[in-house]
Amino acid sequence: MKNNENLVVVHLSATAVYVVIGNVVSAKDIRILGVGQVKNSDFYQGQIKHRERLQGAIKQAIQEAEDTANCRVHSVWLTLATPELSSKNSAGEVKVEDEVVRAQDMVQALANAKSRDLSSDYYLMHCCQQGIYVDEQDFMVDDVIEMMAHNITVMYHMMMMPVASRQNIQKLLQSCDVGIDHIVFDAVTSAEYSLMTEERQQGVCLVDIGASTTSICVYKENKLIFTHCIATGSHEVTMDISADFGISMIEAEKLKKSHGTADVNSVDPSAFFLFKPQGSGDEINIGIYNLARIIEARYVQIFTEVARQLHEAGLIGYIDKGIVLTGGGSTIKGMIPFAKKLLKMPVVLTNTHPAISAYNHFDNDESFKLLNSQVNDRVYQTAFGTLLYSQSEQFRRSEKVNLKRFKTIEYQAYFGVRVNGLQMF
């Protein structure tokens, strides 16, 4: 393999820690070297619930990925969702000296936008450049370096989180002996994996339903124009089932997956099955229709809030391609007909991405088969999307004004030399 760029991604969710190590050959060729997954519920709705247990899960997931990829990790891209997210479309205006736009003008534009819209108690987690107005032009361009201009106005979509939360996460990762290269809102990386260029251009909303949160992002004319994170997810569905039937959360989760559906209209109202709760000698009748009504009620709440956010932002008319669903909470039976009927717009589930593949660097077929099956597992899509995002035009444009430029990680297969994020053996 050539000395290509290698990246490590840590995705924190409410149910597990996911780690992916990928060799990035190009935007169309990303080869997964190793993955790690450790179940953990101590990062809930963007908050660290039990630091020591979460630290152990991160270390273990990193170790699993390291062992598969035969490397050591030193720095990572981190992707997460948090209802503390505060997002805003902002602008930075700059008067151009010598009438030629330089890199420092772009840096100053971002600084001006931050000084106007970033409060002292918030940290700029992630920023996407939308475009640039030059002088009095009424249309945006993507790049103005070395162009003649008197003034430029750079438009941004800024995603911010509280400084204290950012510091807690940074300290947590440092305690796992890794640094953070970038923090990215998980809906943006999921969108990179899930959305087609045509959808982004015509207008589309990605809805990522996780266990404890539902993340939203909207694209129009290939630009990110809206992000939001709702503090509700599929875990509440499981809680409702557990409470209504008087069974454990583990049993409720199994029931949801095996017999549940969000589409009440597809269920026979007279159908039922017998279920024996753990530790009980008595079986109980579970009505499939009743189970579906419980599930439907919670998903109605989630999608009603999604629709409310889009309406309040004035975005419904911009979403010509409708909704693309991703995340574990979107995989329940009957989701598509339910969501189409409720939202009255096109709704589809995300598919696998052709650029992501397992790389066979093993000396046995079984190890490669296992990695290949993991690459096709939906739970890694957000992390894979981060690898794709690192190669996107959106990221490259935004990084031109980042004073802490991302450093390439070189692949050194035969030397035990630490190079930025990885040490390869």
Side-chain angles (χ1 to χ4, degrees):
M1 184 186 291
K2 297 183 297 182
N3 287 345
N4 300 312
E5 183 178 26
N6 286 265
L7 297 178
V8 185
V9 179
V10 172
H11 172 47
L12 296 182
S13 81
T15 56
V17 176
Y18 303 100
V19 176
V20 167
I21 299 174
N23 177 254
V24 181
V25 179
S26 70
K28 296 181 178 180
D29 186 4
I30 295 177
R31 306 169 186 182
I32 306 304
L33 305 175
V35 299
Q37 176 186 162
V38 176
K39 291 185 177 181
N40 180 272
S41 57
D42 293 308
F43 188 76
Y44 195 83
Q45 294 184 342
Q47 297 295 315
I48 300 170
K49 296 299 182 182
H50 193 293
R51 189 178 184 278
E52 187 175 345
R53 285 198 303 256
L54 182 56
Q55 178 193 50
I58 294 171
K59 284 185 175 182
Q60 185 180 341
I62 289 175
Q63 183 69 57
E64 288 181 6
E66 288 177 332
D67 291 345
T68 307
N70 194 29
C71 72
R72 287 293 174 265
V73 171
H74 297 286
S75 63
V76 304
W77 286 53
L78 180 65
T79 181
L80 54 85
T82 173
E84 291 185 317
L85 179 79
S86 175
S87 298
K88 186 176 181 65
N89 291 320
S90 184
E93 301 176 2
V94 172
K95 183 176 181 180
V96 180
E97 295 184 13
D98 302 325
E99 299 183 356
V100 178
V101 181
R102 309 293 186 191
Q104 57 263 34
D105 295 316
M106 299 296 293
V107 172
Q108 187 59 50
L110 179 57
N112 292 346
K114 288 167 65 176
S115 65
R116 189 174 75 175
D117 289 320
L118 183 65
S119 62
S120 60
D121 56 342
Y122 268 74
Y123 170 85
L124 185 60
M125 176 176 76
H126 187 194
C127 178
C128 290
Q129 182 181 303
Q130 298 169 323
I132 308 157
Y133 289 104
V134 179
D135 294 332
E136 302 304 318
Q137 292 177 350
D138 58 359
F139 60 89
M140 288 191 293
V141 298
D142 293 331
D143 192 4
V144 294
I145 301 295
E146 301 301 329
M147 287 179 61
M148 303 295 294
H150 297 287
N151 301 279
I152 59 170
T153 302
V154 187
M155 309 301 294
Y156 303 99
H157 183 71
M158 299 171 61
M159 290 155 277
M160 302 160 281
M161 66 185 298
V163 169
S165 296
R166 170 63 169 84
Q167 290 173 336
N168 286 333
I169 288 172
Q170 183 169 346
K171 289 179 179 178
L172 173 67
L173 270 292
Q174 286 174 342
S175 71
C176 299
D177 301 318
V178 293
I180 300 175
D181 292 323
H182 298 277
I183 298 183
V184 191
F185 179 43
D186 71 353
V188 175
T189 60
S190 292
E192 199 66 38
Y193 186 96
S194 305
L195 301 181
M196 296 183 293
T197 302
E198 178 189 358
E199 292 172 326
R200 297 168 191 263
Q201 184 64 32
Q202 294 187 25
V204 66
C205 175
L206 179 115
V207 178
D208 186 341
I209 306 176
S212 68
T213 58
T214 298
S215 301
I216 311 167
C217 62
V218 177
Y219 289 83
K220 181 69 173 179
E221 296 180 358
N222 209 29
K223 304 180 193 306
L224 179 64
I225 60 174
F226 178 80
T227 52
H228 187 74
C229 185
I230 300 167
T232 306
S234 62
H235 184 69
E236 278 82 354
V237 179
T238 307
M239 291 174 65
D240 293 343
I241 296 170
S242 172
D244 274 52
F245 292 116
I247 58 179
S248 71
M249 288 290 291
I250 293 175
E251 291 170 325
E253 182 70 16
K254 289 179 179 178
L255 271 188
K256 181 176 73 174
K257 291 180 177 179
S258 62
H259 292 86
T261 178
D263 184 16
V264 172
N265 295 326
S266 67
V267 175
D268 179 359
S270 64
F272 70 93
F273 61 95
L274 294 175
F275 178 77
K276 186 176 181 180
Q278 189 174 8
S280 172
D282 300 323
E283 292 183 324
I284 59 175
N285 285 331
I286 302 289
I288 295 179
Y289 185 78
N290 189 26
L291 178 62
R293 289 294 298 271
I294 295 168
I295 294 170
E296 179 195 55
R298 182 61 69 174
Y299 277 110
V300 166
Q301 179 191 8
I302 292 172
F303 281 108
T304 299
E305 180 61 19
V306 169
R308 187 180 74 83
Q309 291 294 332
L310 296 177
H311 274 291
E312 288 188 356
L315 294 172
I316 292 296
Y318 290 91
I319 309 173
D320 295 340
K321 299 298 288 186
I323 304 286
V324 175
L325 293 178
T326 187
S330 68
T331 59
I332 192 167
K333 296 172 188 174
M335 174 56 73
I336 296 303
F338 159 76
K340 282 181 177 179
K341 182 180 178 182
L342 182 68
L343 298 172
K344 296 180 174 60
M345 65 173 66
V347 180
V348 297
L349 277 174
T350 182
N351 293 314
T352 56
H353 198 288
I356 303 293
S357 64
Y359 179 66
N360 191 357
H361 58 96
F362 306 100
D363 54 10
N364 64 85
D365 291 339
E366 289 303 314
S367 295
F368 177 63
K369 286 179 181 178
L370 176 59
L371 181 60
N372 195 54
S373 68
Q374 291 168 320
V375 166
N376 291 312
D377 192 334
R378 283 182 175 270
V379 300
Y380 291 102
Q381 288 182 356
T382 300
F384 293 155
T386 309
L387 299 175
L388 291 163
Y389 181 74
S390 74
Q391 299 302 296
S392 67
E393 284 294 327
Q394 176 67 79
F395 177 69
R396 283 197 284 268
R397 285 199 301 267
S398 299
E399 279 303 280
K400 285 183 179 180
V401 298
N402 193 335
L403 293 175
K404 295 181 179 179
R405 296 296 298 276
F406 179 72
K407 298 179 181 179
T408 300
I409 302 173
E410 298 178 354
Y411 187 88
Q412 304 237 339
Y414 301 107
F415 303 95
V417 179
R418 173 176 172 174
V419 187
N420 290 338
L422 292 179
Q423 179 177 342
M424 310 303 300
F425 301 121

